[in-house]
Amino acid sequence: MKRNLSLLIILFYSFYCFPSEIISAEANVNIETSIRDISKENEAVKKEWNGFKIKEATLNGVAYKVVFPKKANASKNWIWRARFWGHEPQTDIALLNAGFHVVYIEVANLFGSPKAVKIWDGFYKFIIKKYKLNPKVVLEGMSRGGLIIFNWANQNAEKVACIYADAPVCDFKSWPAGQGTGDGSKKAWQACLVSYGFSEEIATQFSGNPINHMEYIAVQKVPILIIVGDADKVVPVAENSALLEQRLNSLGWELNMIRKPEVGHHPHSLKDPKPIVDFILKETSH
């Protein structure tokens, strides 16, 4: 009798207690897995950058950053930096102090190609929706960053408040191809060809660089400030910014250019960024 009673007790726990524990354990595993999946999919790291909170995450597998001002200004302005994150950051820091957000998405080796423009299209929509930022953005591009800011802006000029370009590449035949007076970069040139899907022959005949278009930017009268070193041998002014200026003039628009005498490709920006910051604040105040 005792043996039968013990057997009944074991059966009772087997059918009514153990399954609930198993289900509970499985649920915990599923919850943990879900958390891991979410974390992996929206991998975000929050830390500080120059005293400001920064979020680092990925969107569709592409790394991006958002730096938050201590207090956003009423217009929810933002500056979108292209390439060389954190290099000569004085303008970005000054704008953060003025209530701007600073954002960045990695398109380093795409050289302003249609793929890069597509990534920027998606990122713009994402940023505007998620952070409720101003529909008009300030673009900032140093060196090769010039290709993406001008290519994207010429397709989206109505979304651009103004452009700050620094020693910008405006024609990939000048850099990285090195088909002018500059040395170019063989490695970067090969990466550029791959990003566009061009042979070298087709690339040489390509007429879609910033120096060849700018039409929509001119129509929308997007304010542009370019800072260059007159002695730049990496991205020669005569093959890039000067041709961009000529193109804009032919379309009835103009740009502002600050020339640094006897300065090469580096250092970028200005030691005192006030002229840059004043330009941006003026163009985003209306």
Side-chain angles (χ1 to χ4, degrees):
M1 182 68 180
K2 289 182 179 179
R3 185 177 179 182
N4 291 338
L5 182 60
S6 298
L7 182 60
L8 286 171
I9 291 170
I10 291 170
L11 289 172
F12 174 85
Y13 276 99
S14 297
F15 282 103
Y16 293 98
C17 297
F18 291 170
S20 63
E21 291 179 6
I22 292 170
I23 291 169
S24 178
E26 287 179 347
N28 286 336
V29 169
N30 289 337
I31 290 170
E32 289 173 5
T33 302
S34 297
I35 291 171
R36 280 200 301 271
D37 288 345
I38 292 170
S39 177
K40 184 177 180 182
E41 184 180 347
N42 304 301
E43 187 175 354
V45 178
K46 292 182 179 179
K47 48 187 179 181
E48 282 201 352
W49 181 80
N50 286 292
F52 297 91
K53 289 183 180 179
I54 180 173
K55 175 184 176 182
E56 298 184 353
T58 59
L59 179 66
N60 299 323
V62 183
Y64 74 88
K65 306 175 193 291
V66 180
V67 187
F68 303 88
K70 289 180 170 58
K71 183 180 179 180
N73 62 29
S75 298
K76 298 295 289 286
N77 295 124
W78 55 301
I79 183 167
W80 189 350
R81 183 169 180 136
R83 193 62 178 122
F84 303 111
W85 172 256
H87 179 65
E88 299 287 351
Q90 50 267 42
T91 296
D92 297 339
I93 292 170
L95 290 174
L96 282 163
N97 284 319
F100 280 61
H101 286 65
V102 178
V103 307
Y104 175 88
I105 189 164
E106 186 60 66
V107 290
N109 293 312
L110 297 179
F111 303 90
S113 65
K115 183 177 180 181
V117 170
K118 185 177 180 181
I119 290 171
W120 269 43
D121 285 341
F123 187 59
Y124 173 86
K125 292 175 184 175
F126 168 78
I127 286 290
I128 290 295
K129 183 177 180 180
K130 186 173 181 66
Y131 297 105
K132 312 299 182 192
L133 297 182
N134 195 305
K136 287 207 167 189
V137 59
V138 177
L139 300 182
E140 174 186 15
M142 292 184 178
S143 194
R144 74 179 71 179
L147 290 170
I148 180 60
I149 62 171
F150 289 126
N151 284 346
W152 189 82
N154 199 54
Q155 295 182 29
N156 298 274
E158 76 284 357
K159 301 170 186 171
V160 181
C162 62
I163 297 172
Y164 155 49
D166 202 295
V169 176
C170 304
D171 182 0
F172 63 46
K173 293 189 288 295
S174 172
W175 191 95
Q179 295 176 6
T181 60
D183 293 334
S185 167
K186 290 183 179 179
K187 184 177 179 180
W189 179 227
Q190 290 306 309
C192 181
L193 292 174
V194 170
S195 69
Y196 279 84
F198 287 166
S199 66
E200 191 156 352
E201 181 181 358
I202 291 174
T204 301
Q205 299 170 2
F206 182 61
S207 60
N209 277 287
I211 63 166
N212 305 120
H213 49 73
M214 304 293 283
E215 297 89 352
Y216 193 31
I217 289 174
V219 167
Q220 291 290 315
K221 300 188 181 304
V222 177
I224 300 171
L225 172 64
I226 292 183
I227 295 181
V228 294
D230 274 342
D232 193 335
K233 296 180 180 178
V234 178
V235 182
V237 177
E239 299 169 10
N240 293 275
S241 296
L243 293 182
L244 192 82
E245 183 175 32
Q246 290 175 23
R247 176 61 178 161
L248 276 174
N249 291 344
S250 74
L251 294 166
W253 190 227
E254 57 188 22
L255 56 78
N256 304 292
M257 192 179 301
I258 297 175
R259 294 176 176 266
K260 298 181 286 188
E262 300 180 1
V263 174
H265 193 58
H266 293 282
H268 289 298
S269 190
L270 299 172
K271 189 173 182 180
D272 178 0
K274 189 176 186 303
I276 306 168
V277 175
D278 286 349
F279 165 78
I280 292 170
L281 292 179
K282 176 186 174 184
E283 301 304 338
T284 54
S285 63
H286 46 74

